[in-house]
Amino acid sequence: PETGPWKRIERIGNAVLLLGDCLEILPTLPKVDAVITSPPYAEQRSYGPDRRWLENMSGLRMLGDECQILVNLGLIHRDGECITYWDDLRAMLASDGWRLFGWYVWDQGDGLPGDWNGRLAPSHEFVFHFNKMARPLLKWTRTKTNNRKITGTGLRGKDNATKGEFSHQGAFVQDTKVADSVIRVTREMRRDIDHPARFPVSFAENLVASFAYQEHTVADPFLGSGTTGVACSNLGRSFIGIEI
């Protein structure tokens, strides 16, 4: 609809951009098939004394049962300890039936120079995958096949015994496959955009290409500089972005 709990609406191709509070807007959205977002997390920014980062995420609980939620989060250290603040997000979503279905790693390339207080130079972040039901992923990454056929035995079972030959023994390896659980994309180093934590378009494209079919709609309730929307535009997916 043209009117709703937002201050402004803009349409760019298959993208709809909404200026407003995601807590008010998310419950009013039509069906979305995937959420791909990188929210401000763990009180890294101030939203007033009575609004924590977790409250910002609470609108995700009201999404449809078939939606796949992908949340990019980084590490936080306080008082010399790594804080697993994402446990709070997991518990909140679990209270409405959302499960932590997958846990992926964003390999950002070489760590930056610095002392890092005795820790190894940070060069990764996480992507947490929540859902209520699984959906087959798109196979879009090229397989290094060289016309190779499948050989050998299967995985070990719980009894530690090796299973027999693969059920598709002797068949040719597929040309494309599901993307890896490690997303290998170098961090964004540009400084010509006024945003403190912009992730690369190719990182967002990896998630869009995997979790959103051509006819699907992707949402980002923490739009920021708009990277997820650009990725959806590049790949021909519909998009809804929200930014306060």
PDB file of all heavy atoms in Angstrom, residues 6 34 53 75 85 93 97 106 110 126-127 142 158 163 172 208 233:
ATOM      1  N   TRP A   6       4.968   4.548   7.981  1.00  0.00           N
ATOM      2  CA  TRP A   6       6.256   5.073   7.546  1.00  0.00           C
ATOM      3  C   TRP A   6       6.094   6.530   7.164  1.00  0.00           C
ATOM      4  O   TRP A   6       5.000   7.023   6.897  1.00  0.00           O
ATOM      5  CB  TRP A   6       6.807   4.271   6.363  1.00  0.00           C
ATOM      6  CG  TRP A   6       5.824   4.032   5.259  1.00  0.00           C
ATOM      7  CD1 TRP A   6       5.415   4.908   4.287  1.00  0.00           C
ATOM      8  CD2 TRP A   6       5.094   2.827   5.021  1.00  0.00           C
ATOM      9  NE1 TRP A   6       4.499   4.327   3.450  1.00  0.00           N
ATOM     10  CE2 TRP A   6       4.284   3.043   3.874  1.00  0.00           C
ATOM     11  CE3 TRP A   6       5.057   1.572   5.633  1.00  0.00           C
ATOM     12  CZ2 TRP A   6       3.439   2.064   3.359  1.00  0.00           C
ATOM     13  CZ3 TRP A   6       4.213   0.608   5.108  1.00  0.00           C
ATOM     14  CH2 TRP A   6       3.421   0.861   3.993  1.00  0.00           C
ATOM     15  N   ALA A  34      12.763 -13.978   2.442  1.00  0.00           N
ATOM     16  CA  ALA A  34      14.051 -13.997   3.144  1.00  0.00           C
ATOM     17  C   ALA A  34      14.315 -12.620   3.732  1.00  0.00           C
ATOM     18  O   ALA A  34      13.926 -11.596   3.152  1.00  0.00           O
ATOM     19  CB  ALA A  34      15.179 -14.391   2.199  1.00  0.00           C
ATOM     20  N   TRP A  53      19.305  -3.245  21.599  1.00  0.00           N
ATOM     21  CA  TRP A  53      19.407  -3.744  20.224  1.00  0.00           C
ATOM     22  C   TRP A  53      18.455  -4.902  19.987  1.00  0.00           C
ATOM     23  O   TRP A  53      17.897  -5.062  18.901  1.00  0.00           O
ATOM     24  CB  TRP A  53      20.843  -4.171  19.930  1.00  0.00           C
ATOM     25  CG  TRP A  53      21.202  -5.541  20.403  1.00  0.00           C
ATOM     26  CD1 TRP A  53      21.557  -5.906  21.655  1.00  0.00           C
ATOM     27  CD2 TRP A  53      21.224  -6.738  19.611  1.00  0.00           C
ATOM     28  NE1 TRP A  53      21.813  -7.254  21.707  1.00  0.00           N
ATOM     29  CE2 TRP A  53      21.618  -7.790  20.471  1.00  0.00           C
ATOM     30  CE3 TRP A  53      20.956  -7.029  18.279  1.00  0.00           C
ATOM     31  CZ2 TRP A  53      21.736  -9.093  20.031  1.00  0.00           C
ATOM     32  CZ3 TRP A  53      21.089  -8.327  17.849  1.00  0.00           C
ATOM     33  CH2 TRP A  53      21.464  -9.342  18.697  1.00  0.00           C
ATOM     34  N   LEU A  75      32.004  -9.837  16.295  1.00  0.00           N
ATOM     35  CA  LEU A  75      32.448 -10.119  17.660  1.00  0.00           C
ATOM     36  C   LEU A  75      32.461  -8.852  18.509  1.00  0.00           C
ATOM     37  O   LEU A  75      32.760  -7.760  18.021  1.00  0.00           O
ATOM     38  CB  LEU A  75      33.845 -10.730  17.644  1.00  0.00           C
ATOM     39  CG  LEU A  75      33.980 -12.128  17.028  1.00  0.00           C
ATOM     40  CD1 LEU A  75      35.441 -12.497  16.905  1.00  0.00           C
ATOM     41  CD2 LEU A  75      33.241 -13.153  17.869  1.00  0.00           C
ATOM     42  N   TYR A  85      26.609 -12.358  22.751  1.00  0.00           N
ATOM     43  CA  TYR A  85      25.341 -11.632  22.851  1.00  0.00           C
ATOM     44  C   TYR A  85      24.268 -12.202  21.926  1.00  0.00           C
ATOM     45  O   TYR A  85      23.070 -11.987  22.135  1.00  0.00           O
ATOM     46  CB  TYR A  85      25.566 -10.150  22.540  1.00  0.00           C
ATOM     47  CG  TYR A  85      26.063  -9.903  21.137  1.00  0.00           C
ATOM     48  CD1 TYR A  85      25.184  -9.659  20.094  1.00  0.00           C
ATOM     49  CD2 TYR A  85      27.427  -9.932  20.848  1.00  0.00           C
ATOM     50  CE1 TYR A  85      25.636  -9.447  18.809  1.00  0.00           C
ATOM     51  CE2 TYR A  85      27.882  -9.727  19.561  1.00  0.00           C
ATOM     52  CZ  TYR A  85      26.999  -9.480  18.546  1.00  0.00           C
ATOM     53  OH  TYR A  85      27.442  -9.282  17.253  1.00  0.00           O
ATOM     54  N   LEU A  93      13.971 -15.417  19.463  1.00  0.00           N
ATOM     55  CA  LEU A  93      13.320 -16.003  18.297  1.00  0.00           C
ATOM     56  C   LEU A  93      12.791 -17.401  18.602  1.00  0.00           C
ATOM     57  O   LEU A  93      11.729 -17.794  18.114  1.00  0.00           O
ATOM     58  CB  LEU A  93      14.298 -16.039  17.125  1.00  0.00           C
ATOM     59  CG  LEU A  93      14.683 -14.684  16.534  1.00  0.00           C
ATOM     60  CD1 LEU A  93      15.734 -14.854  15.442  1.00  0.00           C
ATOM     61  CD2 LEU A  93      13.463 -13.954  15.973  1.00  0.00           C
ATOM     62  N   GLY A  97       9.142 -20.001  18.025  1.00  0.00           N
ATOM     63  CA  GLY A  97       9.266 -21.158  17.150  1.00  0.00           C
ATOM     64  C   GLY A  97      10.373 -21.093  16.124  1.00  0.00           C
ATOM     65  O   GLY A  97      10.504 -22.007  15.305  1.00  0.00           O
ATOM     66  N   TRP A 106      31.778 -15.471   7.708  1.00  0.00           N
ATOM     67  CA  TRP A 106      32.222 -14.553   6.664  1.00  0.00           C
ATOM     68  C   TRP A 106      33.735 -14.382   6.816  1.00  0.00           C
ATOM     69  O   TRP A 106      34.210 -13.776   7.760  1.00  0.00           O
ATOM     70  CB  TRP A 106      31.496 -13.214   6.789  1.00  0.00           C
ATOM     71  CG  TRP A 106      32.001 -12.142   5.857  1.00  0.00           C
ATOM     72  CD1 TRP A 106      32.807 -12.309   4.761  1.00  0.00           C
ATOM     73  CD2 TRP A 106      31.729 -10.746   5.943  1.00  0.00           C
ATOM     74  NE1 TRP A 106      33.051 -11.105   4.151  1.00  0.00           N
ATOM     75  CE2 TRP A 106      32.411 -10.126   4.852  1.00  0.00           C
ATOM     76  CE3 TRP A 106      30.983  -9.959   6.816  1.00  0.00           C
ATOM     77  CZ2 TRP A 106      32.353  -8.755   4.646  1.00  0.00           C
ATOM     78  CZ3 TRP A 106      30.930  -8.588   6.606  1.00  0.00           C
ATOM     79  CH2 TRP A 106      31.608  -7.990   5.525  1.00  0.00           C
ATOM     80  N   ASP A 110      42.577 -10.898   4.865  1.00  0.00           N
ATOM     81  CA  ASP A 110      43.634 -10.666   5.834  1.00  0.00           C
ATOM     82  C   ASP A 110      43.174  -9.746   6.956  1.00  0.00           C
ATOM     83  O   ASP A 110      42.480  -8.754   6.721  1.00  0.00           O
ATOM     84  CB  ASP A 110      44.856 -10.042   5.150  1.00  0.00           C
ATOM     85  CG  ASP A 110      45.549 -11.011   4.206  1.00  0.00           C
ATOM     86  OD1 ASP A 110      45.306 -12.229   4.352  1.00  0.00           O
ATOM     87  OD2 ASP A 110      46.314 -10.553   3.344  1.00  0.00           O
ATOM     88  N   PHE A 126      30.129 -13.555  11.670  1.00  0.00           N
ATOM     89  CA  PHE A 126      29.204 -14.683  11.583  1.00  0.00           C
ATOM     90  C   PHE A 126      27.948 -14.307  10.799  1.00  0.00           C
ATOM     91  O   PHE A 126      27.584 -13.134  10.703  1.00  0.00           O
ATOM     92  CB  PHE A 126      28.789 -15.148  12.979  1.00  0.00           C
ATOM     93  CG  PHE A 126      29.921 -15.670  13.813  1.00  0.00           C
ATOM     94  CD1 PHE A 126      30.177 -15.144  15.067  1.00  0.00           C
ATOM     95  CD2 PHE A 126      30.739 -16.686  13.340  1.00  0.00           C
ATOM     96  CE1 PHE A 126      31.223 -15.626  15.844  1.00  0.00           C
ATOM     97  CE2 PHE A 126      31.786 -17.177  14.118  1.00  0.00           C
ATOM     98  CZ  PHE A 126      32.026 -16.640  15.368  1.00  0.00           C
ATOM     99  N   VAL A 127      27.290 -15.320  10.270  1.00  0.00           N
ATOM    100  CA  VAL A 127      25.945 -15.179   9.709  1.00  0.00           C
ATOM    101  C   VAL A 127      25.087 -16.255  10.366  1.00  0.00           C
ATOM    102  O   VAL A 127      25.355 -17.451  10.209  1.00  0.00           O
ATOM    103  CB  VAL A 127      25.929 -15.351   8.173  1.00  0.00           C
ATOM    104  CG1 VAL A 127      24.491 -15.262   7.660  1.00  0.00           C
ATOM    105  CG2 VAL A 127      26.807 -14.295   7.498  1.00  0.00           C
ATOM    106  N   ARG A 142      30.035 -22.458  -9.064  1.00  0.00           N
ATOM    107  CA  ARG A 142      30.624 -23.411  -9.987  1.00  0.00           C
ATOM    108  C   ARG A 142      31.383 -24.499  -9.230  1.00  0.00           C
ATOM    109  O   ARG A 142      32.075 -24.242  -8.252  1.00  0.00           O
ATOM    110  CB  ARG A 142      31.590 -22.705 -10.946  1.00  0.00           C
ATOM    111  CG  ARG A 142      30.936 -21.657 -11.831  1.00  0.00           C
ATOM    112  CD  ARG A 142      29.961 -22.270 -12.806  1.00  0.00           C
ATOM    113  NE  ARG A 142      30.577 -23.219 -13.708  1.00  0.00           N
ATOM    114  CZ  ARG A 142      29.905 -23.932 -14.614  1.00  0.00           C
ATOM    115  NH1 ARG A 142      28.586 -23.798 -14.717  1.00  0.00           N
ATOM    116  NH2 ARG A 142      30.530 -24.782 -15.402  1.00  0.00           N
ATOM    117  N   LYS A 158      26.865 -43.278  12.859  1.00  0.00           N
ATOM    118  CA  LYS A 158      27.005 -43.109  14.302  1.00  0.00           C
ATOM    119  C   LYS A 158      27.764 -44.279  14.938  1.00  0.00           C
ATOM    120  O   LYS A 158      28.350 -44.136  16.013  1.00  0.00           O
ATOM    121  CB  LYS A 158      25.624 -42.962  14.947  1.00  0.00           C
ATOM    122  CG  LYS A 158      24.949 -41.635  14.616  1.00  0.00           C
ATOM    123  CD  LYS A 158      23.637 -41.497  15.367  1.00  0.00           C
ATOM    124  CE  LYS A 158      22.996 -40.156  15.077  1.00  0.00           C
ATOM    125  NZ  LYS A 158      21.709 -39.996  15.807  1.00  0.00           N
ATOM    126  N   LYS A 163      29.912 -45.996   5.624  1.00  0.00           N
ATOM    127  CA  LYS A 163      28.781 -46.437   4.821  1.00  0.00           C
ATOM    128  C   LYS A 163      29.276 -46.932   3.462  1.00  0.00           C
ATOM    129  O   LYS A 163      30.427 -46.731   3.076  1.00  0.00           O
ATOM    130  CB  LYS A 163      27.786 -45.288   4.638  1.00  0.00           C
ATOM    131  CG  LYS A 163      27.188 -44.785   5.956  1.00  0.00           C
ATOM    132  CD  LYS A 163      26.232 -43.639   5.713  1.00  0.00           C
ATOM    133  CE  LYS A 163      25.658 -43.122   7.026  1.00  0.00           C
ATOM    134  NZ  LYS A 163      24.742 -41.988   6.799  1.00  0.00           N
ATOM    135  N   PHE A 172      28.399 -38.105 -12.983  1.00  0.00           N
ATOM    136  CA  PHE A 172      29.250 -36.931 -13.091  1.00  0.00           C
ATOM    137  C   PHE A 172      28.898 -35.923 -11.997  1.00  0.00           C
ATOM    138  O   PHE A 172      27.734 -35.762 -11.627  1.00  0.00           O
ATOM    139  CB  PHE A 172      29.086 -36.270 -14.464  1.00  0.00           C
ATOM    140  CG  PHE A 172      29.817 -36.999 -15.559  1.00  0.00           C
ATOM    141  CD1 PHE A 172      29.119 -37.811 -16.438  1.00  0.00           C
ATOM    142  CD2 PHE A 172      31.185 -36.864 -15.701  1.00  0.00           C
ATOM    143  CE1 PHE A 172      29.777 -38.489 -17.453  1.00  0.00           C
ATOM    144  CE2 PHE A 172      31.858 -37.541 -16.723  1.00  0.00           C
ATOM    145  CZ  PHE A 172      31.146 -38.356 -17.598  1.00  0.00           C
ATOM    146  N   VAL A 208      21.820 -13.610  -1.153  1.00  0.00           N
ATOM    147  CA  VAL A 208      20.621 -13.482  -1.990  1.00  0.00           C
ATOM    148  C   VAL A 208      20.555 -14.620  -2.997  1.00  0.00           C
ATOM    149  O   VAL A 208      19.506 -15.251  -3.186  1.00  0.00           O
ATOM    150  CB  VAL A 208      20.598 -12.115  -2.709  1.00  0.00           C
ATOM    151  CG1 VAL A 208      19.456 -12.058  -3.728  1.00  0.00           C
ATOM    152  CG2 VAL A 208      20.440 -10.982  -1.697  1.00  0.00           C
ATOM    153  N   SER A 233      18.798  -6.012  -6.632  1.00  0.00           N
ATOM    154  CA  SER A 233      18.621  -5.403  -7.951  1.00  0.00           C
ATOM    155  C   SER A 233      19.527  -6.067  -8.978  1.00  0.00           C
ATOM    156  O   SER A 233      19.102  -6.378 -10.099  1.00  0.00           O
ATOM    157  CB  SER A 233      18.913  -3.901  -7.870  1.00  0.00           C
ATOM    158  OG  SER A 233      18.810  -3.288  -9.141  1.00  0.00           O
TER     159      SER A 233
END
